[in-house]
Amino acid sequence: QVQVLESGGGLVQAGGSLRLSCAASGTIFSLNAMDWYRQAPGKQRELVAGITKGGNTKYADSVKGRFTVSRDNAKNMVYLQMDSLKPEDTAVYYCNASIRPLGFANAFSYWGQGTQVTVSS
């Protein structure tokens, strides 16, 4: 069955960089929009970045100019390159993928389990 898995989180100093990956696997017919969310303790989950099937991107104002989302459809992967990280970027980052499984007429929303990003000051 279809599943998504994030990786690449870790501990980094302010100003550093991390590259998150989200891999979709299973019997996939198509990958549609793929988004990155994050949730810090005591805060609501927020959309950080997203990329459509055609490659159009969107970003939260707080990360514009610092984060870059991209995808590799051949590999069923989406990436989030995070540069100039700030302590306020500390959160659990989740991949959310709209995926149509093979044999299904509709797409479904799939969430990864999250990967922790911690930025020290």
Side-chain angles (χ1 to χ4, degrees):
Q1 291 184 312
V2 174
Q3 58 183 347
V4 297
L5 178 64
E6 306 97 332
S7 62
L11 175 64
V12 65
Q13 293 185 14
S17 298
L18 284 173
R19 182 177 174 86
L20 305 183
S21 299
C22 175
S25 62
T27 54
I28 298 172
F29 178 81
S30 65
L31 275 68
N32 302 318
M34 301 185 75
D35 302 322
W36 286 98
Y37 289 78
R38 68 185 181 188
Q39 187 167 24
K43 294 185 177 181
Q44 292 185 340
R45 186 173 298 185
E46 64 173 339
L47 178 66
V48 177
I51 184 166
T52 67
K53 183 179 180 180
N56 293 322
T57 59
K58 59 184 178 182
Y59 299 93
D61 289 340
S62 59
V63 307
K64 286 181 179 178
R66 301 188 298 118
F67 290 10
T68 304
V69 63
S70 61
R71 64 190 291 161
D72 186 337
N73 290 331
K75 297 181 178 179
N76 291 336
M77 298 281 290
V78 63
Y79 307 96
L80 184 66
Q81 178 66 43
M82 305 185 295
D83 299 319
S84 301
L85 283 163
K86 304 175 181 179
E88 49 263 45
D89 294 319
T90 296
V92 177
Y93 284 71
Y94 298 90
C95 178
N96 176 247
S98 177
I99 300 171
R100 180 182 172 184
L102 188 66
F104 287 76
N106 304 113
F108 299 88
S109 179
Y110 294 86
W111 289 90
Q113 81 291 339
T115 185
Q116 176 70 48
V117 172
T118 303
V119 184
S120 62
S121 60

